[in-house]
Every structure is written in C-alpha cells, then in structure tokens.
Amino acid sequence: MNINYESYKIFYFVAMEGNMSKAANHLLISQPAVTWQIKSLEEQLNITLFTRTKKGVSLTEEGKLLFEYVKQGVECFTNGENMLTNIKNLDYGIISIGASTTVSKHVLMPYLEVFHEKYPNIEIKIVNALTENLIKDLKKGNLDMLVLNLPMNETKDLKIQKVLNVQDIFVGNKRYYELTKGNITLEKLNNYPLLFQKRPSNTRTFLDNYLHKNNTVLIPKTEIVSYNLIMDFVKSGFGIGYATKEFIKDDLNKSLFEIKVTPKIPARYIGIATLNKTIPNYSVKKLIHLMINDKNINH
C-alpha cells in the first residue's frame, strides 16, 4: 500500500477540526480537494474513516484507531520541521569551537560577544588545547571549527579561511628596550635572556621557521606553555619575549616595548579550520560568516 504523507496530514487536520471546510482553511487548500483526499484515502484503506454530522464530520471507530497512529507521525514531522526552522532562525543550536587560550581571549571573544548579542539562544562551547589535539577532535567530529594561528603543517582534510592578519614582534620591558636601543639583529638577541612558548605551538613553529630561513639559532633561557604568562614574565624584566603585536596593543609603549629586529619578521594570520568534506550546521555558518566579513569588530 503506497499512501503519501499528504493524505495522512489532511486526515489528521480533518479529524482535529471535525469539519472539512475548517481543515481546508487551515491547510490553505480548497474544500473539494480535502473531500477528494479523504475519499481517496478511504478507498485505498477500504475503510470508512468519517461519518457526517450536523456540524461536520466525526471519526468512526476505525478512524479513531488510525488517528492515534497518524497523530504521532504528523506531530513528529511537524516538530522536526519546527526544530529546523528554529535552527535556521538561530533560536536553537550548539557551536563547539577549538582554540588556544590566547586566540580565545584576543581573537575569538570580540566575535562571540557580537554573535551572542544577536543570537543569545545559541550555546557556545570552547575547548582549549594544543593545536594537534584540537585537529584530532575536529576530525573525530567532536568540534565544529577551530580558530588558530596560521600557517600550520597539518592541513590535510581541512578547509582554511583567513580571518585576521597579525604581526609577530620581539618585546621587552623598558630596561631591555633601552639596552637594545629598540633595534637589534637576530644573532645579537642571544646576548639577552629569551622567553619563548614551548613547542609544538603554532606560534613557536612559525618562529622556528623564520629563524631557520635566516640561518639563525636562538636559545631561549625560559620556555613556557602559556603565551600570557610569557608576557607577564617579560613585563617583570625576566628577558625578551616573542609576542603577537595585535594581542598586546594595550600594553605597547607602557609595560611592553617593541624591539625591532633585522631581518623583519614576516606577517602571518589567524584563520578558521573546518573539515573539508563536512557541511557546517547553520549556526556555525553564521558565526564563520561574521568572523570573515565583519571588519568593524575591534580586537
């Protein structure tokens, strides 16, 4: 038996309204179309589903039995359609984002503040971990997207979209700025205590590649996982650190001072990584669109 969903949907509304005309008005179709569908359904099932009354129609005993099953099906489909509408309208949804604590604070938060103001019902989950672990979680389906320092070595199966250009610099407190006169060659940096992020952070990898291209080896006195902690150590006078200019703009020329190096450090960027063959859900698409296209958000 091949009865389409539309026939059962019309049967449901006729039973709910107890009247063919009211059901037709609700469904935005003509009464003759409703009457024909009910008649066709009864013929296919070989059962009388309704009896005529003075006010309209009422279910037969067989019709009541069928209605209990059809009711569950129609309402289930309707709930599914409503849920999709809610998701599309961003009234419901979850976004799981992977990022380092540094990127979360200095890059992601300004976008999330704007996004949350527009779509307060979307739940946002942030996972902070090393990039290599975040990539594994993304590929396992545990995360929807990554926001990270780029470039990086691992790009297989990933779609990368640029969000923000950034410039790395060397920094010190006022004392180290005066000792170096704010300008130094790469090789002479070894004359001072250096503070770098531990490998395998993307920032450290970028620094190592820059040094390798310039045939230079810098030996850090201190290596720390946390970028923000390195900046605190630099402010306290422990040595010269490697920073991202955009992340320390509030401290520049106050507690941190740029020490320019020769040759200049090339620019890089922050980007979004998603799985290449997976279509993000609607709320994730909206956030990515905001991050890529809204140039008015300050970091």
Side-chain angles (χ1 to χ4, degrees), residues 235-250:
K235 290 175 187 176
S236 297
F238 282 79
I240 294 173
Y242 185 74
T244 301
K245 194 170 187 177
E246 288 73 13
F247 297 172
I248 59 167
K249 62 181 181 180
D250 292 337

Side-chain angles (χ1 to χ4, degrees), residues 108-118 124 290 298:
L108 194 52
M109 276 305 300
Y111 292 114
L112 293 183
E113 286 172 6
V114 174
F115 185 82
H116 180 68
E117 187 175 341
K118 289 184 177 181
I124 296 171
L290 171 72
N298 294 318

Side-chain angles (χ1 to χ4, degrees), residues 11-280:
F11 165 74
Y12 169 83
F13 281 104
V14 172
M16 290 291 290
E17 297 287 352
N19 185 287
M20 298 263 187
S21 296
K22 290 181 179 179
N25 289 336
H26 185 93
L27 293 163
L28 302 177
I29 59 177
S30 67
Q31 182 180 333
V34 171
T35 303
W36 181 85
Q37 284 279 12
I38 294 301
K39 183 180 178 182
S40 175
L41 181 61
E42 289 179 326
E43 288 175 353
Q44 290 180 79
L45 295 172
N46 195 28
I47 291 174
T48 300
L49 299 171
F50 294 98
T51 56
R52 296 276 180 177
T53 66
K54 291 181 179 180
K55 294 183 179 181
V57 293
S58 63
L59 287 166
T60 62
E61 290 303 313
E62 293 83 0
K64 290 177 182 178
L65 179 64
L66 179 63
F67 178 73
E68 290 304 313
Y69 291 95
V70 171
K71 180 176 182 290
Q72 296 178 49
V74 171
E75 291 177 355
C76 189
F77 276 114
T78 302
N79 287 337
E81 290 172 352
N82 290 340
M83 184 59 73
L84 287 177
T85 300
N86 288 340
I87 292 172
K88 191 173 180 181
N89 292 333
L90 292 149
D91 292 328
Y92 172 84
I94 300 173
I95 305 177
S96 295
I97 307 169
S100 69
T101 53
T102 306
V103 170
S104 296
K105 177 181 178 180
H106 297 288
V107 179
L108 194 52
M109 276 305 300
Y111 292 114
L112 293 183
E113 286 172 6
V114 174
F115 185 82
H116 180 68
E117 187 175 341
K118 289 184 177 181
Y119 313 111
N121 296 322
I122 301 297
E123 182 181 348
I124 296 171
K125 295 182 178 180
I126 306 293
V127 176
N128 297 133
L130 289 172
T131 298
E132 58 185 26
N133 294 330
L134 292 175
I135 290 172
K136 290 177 184 177
D137 278 341
L138 179 67
K139 291 183 176 182
K140 288 178 182 177
N142 298 330
L143 297 171
D144 295 308
M145 58 186 280
L146 306 182
V147 182
L148 67 176
N149 288 300
L150 295 165
M152 62 179 182
N153 295 327
E154 175 61 73
T155 58
K156 185 180 179 183
D157 302 325
L158 300 181
K159 178 181 179 181
I160 305 295
Q161 299 176 79
K162 185 175 7 178
V163 174
L164 180 70
N165 290 317
V166 293
Q167 178 65 55
D168 289 344
I169 58 175
F170 286 95
V171 292
N173 68 0
K174 193 169 183 179
R175 174 172 170 264
Y176 280 99
Y177 177 77
E178 291 173 348
L179 284 171
T180 60
K181 298 180 181 178
N183 208 317
I184 197 170
T185 61
L186 268 180
E187 295 84 357
K188 289 185 178 179
L189 276 172
N190 274 319
N191 295 331
Y192 302 93
L194 301 174
L195 296 87
F196 295 163
Q197 274 188 285
K198 280 187 176 181
R199 298 183 179 96
S201 75
N202 278 5
T203 298
R204 179 62 185 272
T205 300
F206 185 80
L207 170 60
D208 288 344
N209 289 338
Y210 158 69
L211 296 174
H212 179 73
K213 287 177 182 177
N214 289 282
N215 301 310
T216 302
V217 176
L218 294 181
I219 302 172
K221 181 179 179 181
T222 306
E223 293 181 290
I224 303 173
V225 172
S226 169
Y227 170 89
N228 293 322
L229 189 56
I230 289 175
M231 293 302 102
D232 290 337
F233 270 67
V234 173
K235 290 175 187 176
S236 297
F238 282 79
I240 294 173
Y242 185 74
T244 301
K245 194 170 187 177
E246 288 73 13
F247 297 172
I248 59 167
K249 62 181 181 180
D250 292 337
D251 294 321
L252 270 178
N253 301 319
K254 296 174 185 176
S255 55
L256 293 173
F257 297 83
E258 179 179 359
I259 298 171
K260 295 181 180 179
V261 295
T262 306
K264 185 179 178 181
I265 304 167
R268 59 191 180 105
Y269 62 98
I270 307 293
I272 296 168
T274 53
L275 288 180
N276 202 28
K277 295 182 180 179
T278 300
I279 300 174

